[in-house]
Amino acid sequence: MKGKNVNSPKREKREKAVRFRSEFIESGAQHIPKIQFLPELEKLPKLDANLQDLESPKQAKANQNGSRFGYKMTWCARIADLKDEWSWGESRHWSDDEWANQISKGLNSLEGLDWSELQAMTSDSMHLMHHDHDISDLRDEAVARWLELNLEQFDSPFRFRLGNKKRAWGVELQGHFYLVWYERDHQIYPVD
């Protein structure tokens, strides 16, 4: 392999993180506090909602350090990205059946659990089921879409596992999960 220009996965990840940061800085984005208002618990999607306009459920403040531990999980789909499809042919919009039997059913079954409980859950193969991802770990297309949605202040989307390859991606603010994407085949963060 001597003499070949081979990028290591660590180098590619670092380069993607640098691209993400430079796009973020070029867009003129400033650090915005993670939450400005407390959101409602409405679960049905409200299209074109801005995070700044949403209220989150009132919960006792458990930690002043920004940790989600100590909060009970609540969720909504008010900022869901349902337009168009991914380059691999998967629609961003879900069907009524997917909403009822995968998304709503899956997230409702987790609602009310403490975030420390959620993040300790493992699969049969002992992998964590629900966790953050660094934005640079995602496909370039997903990173670009994240920026288009003006979510650049959140550099660690949270991901819930809803089935073998089904995932719910979004933003967590003070214990409240805002669903952004539902995926069916583990392509936003592909595993080879």
Side-chain angles (χ1 to χ4, degrees):
M1 297 200 83
K2 195 172 187 177
K4 288 187 178 181
N5 187 8
V6 177
N7 282 339
S8 71
K10 284 184 179 181
R11 183 176 179 182
E12 289 176 8
K13 182 178 176 182
R14 187 172 47 246
E15 288 171 357
K16 189 186 283 188
V18 168
R19 281 196 314 272
F20 175 75
R21 182 163 174 72
S22 66
E23 288 176 26
F24 176 69
I25 291 170
E26 287 172 14
S27 71
Q30 300 174 3
H31 179 67
I32 299 170
K34 280 195 166 188
I35 191 157
Q36 296 176 358
F37 302 98
L38 297 173
E40 298 171 357
L41 285 174
E42 182 182 53
K43 298 225 171 103
L44 296 177
K46 179 179 177 184
L47 302 178
D48 300 324
N50 292 319
L51 282 171
Q52 294 86 351
D53 300 333
L54 299 176
E55 294 183 10
S56 64
K58 294 180 181 177
Q59 297 191 36
K61 282 224 177 233
N63 298 312
Q64 296 296 324
N65 64 3
S67 171
R68 66 179 65 98
F69 296 163
Y71 286 114
K72 301 294 183 192
M73 191 279 255
T74 58
W75 71 280
C76 72
R78 297 185 65 196
I79 64 167
D81 177 24
L82 302 174
K83 294 179 182 161
D84 303 322
E85 65 179 32
W86 298 103
S87 64
W88 55 89
E90 181 178 349
S91 174
R92 290 193 193 102
H93 200 287
W94 51 72
S95 69
D96 290 342
D97 183 60
E98 288 172 323
W99 172 258
N101 294 312
Q102 293 292 323
I103 302 166
S104 187
K105 186 177 182 180
L107 293 175
N108 282 343
S109 72
L110 301 171
E111 189 168 45
L113 295 176
D114 187 279
W115 281 88
S116 60
E117 294 175 279
L118 290 169
Q119 288 189 243
M121 291 180 175
T122 58
S123 67
D124 293 340
S125 60
M126 299 309 292
H127 287 94
L128 292 177
M129 293 178 66
H130 318 298
H131 54 84
D132 293 285
H133 268 279
D134 189 279
I135 190 71
S136 63
D137 288 343
L138 308 185
R139 278 187 180 219
D140 288 342
E141 179 181 353
V143 172
R145 186 66 180 174
W146 196 256
L147 293 170
E148 286 174 31
L149 296 171
N150 297 314
L151 296 172
E152 57 272 345
Q153 71 204 42
F154 307 104
D155 56 3
S156 297
F158 196 87
R159 186 216 75 180
F160 283 101
R161 180 179 178 172
L162 299 180
N164 186 29
K165 292 186 175 183
K166 294 170 176 53
R167 304 290 185 264
W169 292 87
V171 173
E172 177 271 326
L173 293 173
Q174 292 186 345
H176 189 77
F177 177 72
Y178 292 91
L179 175 65
V180 176
W181 297 316
Y182 168 70
E183 68 167 328
R184 300 153 188 92
D185 201 28
H186 210 309
Q187 293 297 311
I188 291 173
Y189 173 71
V191 179
D192 296 331

